[in-house]
RNA sequence: GCGCCAGUAGCUCAAUUGGCAGAGCAGUUGACUCUUAAUCAAUUGGUUGGGGGUUCGAUUCCUCCCUGGCGUACCA
């Protein structure tokens, strides 16, 4: 492995020597604290007031140009970089000797007055340089001239595996994670302002449910019992609704043991919120409003994503799934059976899985023929009962339809929501139907959850519930096209 | 899971039909008190992702494996 390479070892050995030299010279290379009073961007912004004034900054050495008895260095703090001019006659021979032992990557504090160099760069003329942390492992060095970048650190694998380096060397990516923080904060604010309770439900669950997915399995030693990492928190949050909390939400890490690609990470963040006495129509309004409210905290309601201009301001359209499928296939799918669906799918050259059921076929048709075209925000509504075991029958009286919506933007699914099924007998029946699918080979069919059913049997108020993919919302609002670029430490194979 | 592509120094990349594994930056030593890819001089650094094979000789050809990227399938 590259860590074992001789030349890297050599570099580290040299740095350790310098570290020892510093200690010999009476310099503590790892002091316990330091007080800076300015950030680099602030000094640049307030240059006219600060010129000639003393400031103290702290940060990492990103470039170093030593010239005998003087040197220039760029120091990077949380806000950016600023150049420091260090002159022996100014800082004194002891500090200058110590300074000469420093490397790119070391953390230092600099006190000095603000000035502009002959080349016109706002800089700090150092009066004192303090070593705050010596680095012994080299940083990838990115250089730049006339807007051209040299030796960029851009290997995706290295960036994801060594995110600390990525953040140091490509500081522009910090913006994505700052925005991610804002998005989540605004979600909380939005729901808190409307009287929602933030709840925490189990991640380790004896039964998993609330979505169609394969779980991660683990084992509790003391209980000698199998546990699953949650795939959703739906069933627990609904128990809280039964218990009398009328508005609850959780921003939850969910875990699904499935493939990973640019829109799927095995652990991902989902916002789920449930509100008693409202239906899915109310929730459509609320989701629209929530997304707008979050977008306003960032760059506004006109969003550019993946080269697509997406308008979050116009009312999101609401289209029944069967209507969309009729437009896409030319067939009225009301009252179709599995065989007819399969025939239609084949007529569009879609490859069908060996074993397939009605719900999976509908899903396939949607995915292939409809979803990629749902660029502007669209609520797909009124799903077939067969693929919605937790959603309530449609008020229209159609025995095949439930009150459910999914939100699509840019061809990606962002939310899934129902008027929640609160008829305990119907719910039991649905679980039994799922169990049949399961024994028929559908691994993702949901499992009978007696504890949940018992709760519903105690009486659950009419409820509207929503699940919203947080990572995807971050992707949309930061114009990132891979989920790995909105997750600080995306899942990677063990090396 | 399947398909395509890639892996050479700490970083970014070369290496002709199979013929001594190279450059820039970083590092080391020295010079240099307004530089900014600092400059100048000298210099260190390699099990070419790993195993096996073909060959007098493999970074190059074959094969298996590892890792990643992209696409595709399932899922949000």
């Amino acid at each position: 492995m590259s860590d074992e390479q001789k030349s890297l070892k050599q570099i580290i050995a040299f740095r350790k020597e310098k570290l020892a030299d510093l200690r010999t010279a009476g310099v503590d290379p790892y002091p316990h604290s330091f007080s800076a009073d300015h950030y680099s961007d602030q000094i640049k912004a307030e240059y006219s007031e600060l010129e000639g004034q003393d400031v103290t900054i702290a940060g990492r050495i990103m470039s170093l140009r030593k010239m005998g008895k003087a040197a220039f260095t760029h120091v990077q703090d949380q806000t950016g970089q600023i150049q420091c001019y260090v002159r022996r006659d100014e800082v004194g021979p002891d500090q200058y000797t110590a300074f000469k032992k420093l490397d790119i990557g070391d953390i230092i504090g600099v006190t000095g007055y603000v000035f502009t160099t002959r080349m016109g760069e706002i800089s700090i003329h150092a009066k004192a340089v303090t070593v705050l942390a010596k680095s012994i492992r080299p940083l990838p060095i990115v250089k730049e001239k006339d807007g051209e970048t040299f030796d960029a650190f851009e290997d995706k694998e290295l960036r994801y595996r060594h995110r600390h380096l990525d953040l140091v060397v490509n500081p522009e990516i910090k913006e994505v994670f700052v925005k991610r923080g804002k998005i989540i904060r605004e979600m909380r604010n939005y729901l808190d302002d409307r009287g929602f309770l933030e709840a925490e439900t189990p991640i380790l669950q004896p039964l998993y449910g609330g979505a169609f997915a394969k779980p991660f399995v683990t084992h509790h030693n003391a209980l000698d019992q199998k546990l699953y990492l949650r795939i959703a928190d739906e069933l627990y949050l609904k128990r809280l609704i039964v218990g009398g909390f009328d508005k609850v939400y959780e921003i939850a890490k969910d875990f699904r043991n499935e493939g990973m690609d640019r829109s799927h990470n095995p652990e991902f963040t989902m916002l789920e919120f449930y509100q008693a006495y409202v239906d899915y129509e109310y929730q459509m309004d609320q989701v629209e409003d929530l997304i707008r409210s979050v977008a306003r905290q960032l760059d506004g309601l006109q969003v550019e994503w993946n080269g697509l201009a997406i308008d979050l301001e116009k009312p999101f359209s609401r289209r029944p799934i069967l209507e969309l499928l009729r437009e896409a296939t030319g067939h009225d799918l009301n009252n179709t059976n599995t065989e007819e669906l399969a025939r239609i799918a084949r007529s569009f050259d879609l490859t069908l899985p060996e074993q397939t059921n009605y719900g999976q076929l509908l899903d396939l048709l949607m995915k292939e023929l409809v979803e990629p075209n749902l660029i502007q925000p669209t609520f797909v509504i009124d799903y077939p009962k067969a693929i919605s075991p937790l959603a309530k029958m449609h008020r229209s009286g159609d025995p095949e339809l439930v009150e459910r919506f999914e939100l699509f933007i840019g061809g990606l699914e962002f939310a899934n929501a129902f008027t929640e099924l609160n008829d305990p007998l119907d719910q039991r029946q649905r679980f039994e139907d799922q169990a049949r699918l399961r024994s028929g080979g559908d691994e993702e069919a949901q499992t009978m959850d007696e504890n949940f059913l018992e709760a519903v049997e105690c009486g659950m108020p009419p409820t509207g519930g929503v699940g919203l993919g947080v990572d995807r919302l971050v992707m949309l609002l930061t114009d990132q096209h891979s989920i790995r670029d909105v997750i600080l430490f995306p899942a990677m194979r063990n090396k």
Side-chain angles (χ1 to χ4, degrees):
Chain A
M1 178 61 223
S2 57
D3 284 19
E4 300 305 312
Q5 305 269 335
K6 206 169 163 192
S7 92
L8 176 56
K9 273 188 175 168
Q10 208 174 41
I11 291 172
I12 290 176
F14 279 125
R15 296 230 179 159
K16 285 181 180 166
E17 261 175 55
K18 291 180 180 177
L19 184 62
D21 291 347
L22 285 172
R23 286 204 162 106
T24 307
V27 175
D28 178 2
Y30 301 105
H32 294 79
S33 67
F34 186 76
S35 295
D37 53 26
H38 284 79
Y39 279 116
S40 60
D41 66 342
Q42 186 190 3
I43 293 169
K44 291 175 182 174
E46 298 167 14
Y47 179 72
S48 50
E49 298 98 87
L50 288 173
E51 185 179 11
Q53 305 288 313
D54 276 0
V55 295
T56 299
I57 57 143
R60 189 185 297 275
I61 296 177
M62 295 303 288
S63 72
L64 203 46
R65 293 173 291 283
K66 299 178 190 171
M67 292 171 300
K69 298 184 185 64
F72 286 90
T73 173
H74 276 95
V75 175
Q76 175 169 295
D77 62 20
Q78 190 178 293
T79 65
Q81 295 190 0
I82 190 160
Q83 180 172 258
C84 300
Y85 179 44
V86 181
R87 210 159 63 159
R88 192 186 66 173
D89 293 352
E90 217 81 30
V91 300
D94 291 347
Q95 276 192 29
Y96 198 74
T97 306
F99 182 76
K100 287 215 282 193
K101 297 283 178 194
L102 297 185
D103 295 290
I104 290 171
D106 294 353
I107 315 278
I108 59 172
V110 177
T111 299
Y113 62 87
V114 178
F115 78 116
T116 300
T117 63
R118 268 175 222 158
M119 301 302 287
E121 179 164 349
I122 294 173
S123 304
I124 297 173
H125 196 122
K127 292 176 171 171
V129 176
T130 312
V131 182
L132 300 179
K134 182 87 190 80
S135 72
I136 59 168
R137 184 176 289 275
L139 231 50
I141 310 273
V142 177
K143 300 205 160 174
E144 215 176 288
K145 186 180 190 177
D146 304 329
E148 202 182 341
T149 303
F150 299 83
D151 298 346
F153 180 67
E154 54 196 9
D155 184 300
K156 287 266 179 69
E157 176 180 4
L158 292 175
R159 291 179 55 189
Y160 296 143
R161 285 189 193 278
H162 306 282
R163 188 64 100 177
H164 55 285
L165 292 179
D166 194 21
L167 289 163
V168 168
V169 171
N170 300 315
E172 67 282 356
I173 69 157
K174 286 198 281 194
E175 190 55 33
V176 170
F177 297 102
V178 170
K179 284 182 175 174
R180 186 182 172 111
K182 270 191 194 167
I183 288 166
I184 291 173
R185 198 176 327 128
E186 180 55 24
M187 284 179 172
R188 279 213 166 83
N189 286 343
Y190 183 94
L191 294 165
D192 291 347
D193 286 351
R194 279 157 187 76
F196 279 79
L197 171 76
E198 180 167 11
E200 290 180 280
T201 66
I203 292 173
L204 293 173
Q205 304 181 346
L207 274 179
Y208 61 96
F212 297 96
K214 288 174 212 147
F216 287 90
V217 186
T218 187
H219 183 263
H220 190 288
N221 289 342
L223 296 176
D224 189 22
Q225 172 187 311
K226 206 188 222 186
L227 288 173
Y228 302 94
L229 274 67
R230 69 177 165 208
I231 60 170
D233 42 6
E234 166 148 5
L235 301 184
Y236 283 95
L237 288 177
K238 286 204 278 207
R239 284 185 228 189
L240 298 181
I241 295 284
V242 170
F245 284 123
D246 286 347
K247 297 176 177 182
V248 291
Y249 75 95
E250 181 167 15
I251 295 172
K253 274 277 183 79
D254 289 344
F255 306 85
R256 300 191 183 173
N257 206 342
E258 288 161 350
M260 19 196 310
D261 61 26
R262 55 174 45 232
S263 58
H264 297 88
N265 196 61
E267 59 178 289
F268 64 101
T269 304
M270 178 129 85
L271 165 66
E272 288 196 38
F273 58 95
Y274 291 81
Q275 181 168 346
Y277 309 113
V278 305
D279 58 14
Y280 77 141
E281 299 208 1
Y282 182 96
Q283 292 293 32
M284 276 189 261
D285 292 339
Q286 191 150 251
V287 165
E288 258 189 82
D289 193 45
L290 169 61
I291 288 178
R292 286 199 192 103
S293 163
V294 170
R296 268 188 220 105
Q297 299 301 310
L298 298 167
D299 303 321
L301 300 182
Q302 304 304 320
V303 173
E304 161 115 8
W305 187 74
N306 215 355
L308 304 165
I310 288 167
D311 183 359
L312 299 176
E313 188 163 16
K314 263 200 323 229
F316 297 3
S317 57
R318 302 181 181 191
R319 305 292 310 281
I321 185 172
L322 292 177
E323 197 177 303
L324 289 166
L325 281 169
R326 173 153 36 85
E327 285 170 14
T329 64
H331 292 81
D332 189 347
L333 302 183
N334 263 319
N335 308 316
T336 45
N337 58 30
T338 308
E339 288 69 40
E340 276 175 76
L341 270 187
R343 203 161 46 241
I344 293 168
R346 275 191 217 97
S347 76
F348 284 92
D349 287 330
L350 303 181
T351 35
L352 310 185
E354 299 255 324
Q355 268 204 337
T356 182
N357 58 45
Y358 182 81
Q360 291 170 326
L361 280 169
L362 266 187
D363 225 37
L364 179 74
L365 287 171
M366 277 301 287
K367 201 164 301 277
E368 293 296 326
L369 305 176
V370 177
E371 291 174 12
N373 302 319
L374 300 177
I375 303 303
Q376 296 307 319
T378 304
F379 289 112
V380 177
I381 62 172
D382 299 345
Y383 280 69
K385 172 180 155 188
I387 54 174
S388 316
L390 298 166
K392 191 167 180 157
M393 296 309 302
H394 202 281
R395 67 193 69 186
S396 68
D398 185 328
E400 296 304 323
L401 292 184
V402 295
E403 296 198 351
R404 171 178 177 188
F405 70 79
E406 291 194 316
L407 171 63
F408 289 86
I409 305 174
L412 268 187
E413 184 185 336
F414 277 77
N416 182 23
F418 328 118
T419 302
E420 301 295 339
L421 178 52
N422 63 340
D423 174 339
L425 300 182
D426 191 2
Q427 182 67 80
R428 179 172 293 279
Q429 183 61 47
R430 306 281 193 97
F431 274 133
E432 281 166 4
D433 293 344
Q434 287 292 309
R436 251 192 303 284
L437 288 178
R438 211 181 169 70
S439 50
D442 185 347
E443 279 186 80
E444 290 178 354
Q446 304 200 11
T447 43
M448 176 73 71
D449 187 334
E450 283 294 345
N451 288 317
F452 171 68
L453 268 174
E454 207 174 279
V456 177
E457 286 168 357
C458 292
M460 180 169 115
T463 299
V466 176
L468 184 89
V470 172
D471 308 282
R472 290 186 176 179
L473 189 60
V474 176
M475 286 168 69
L476 176 71
L477 297 178
T478 57
D479 198 19
Q480 295 299 316
H481 314 128
S482 169
I483 197 166
R484 302 181 137 189
D485 293 318
V486 301
I487 292 176
L488 281 166
F489 300 100
M492 300 288 279
R493 199 179 293 271
N494 215 346
K495 255 201 150 162

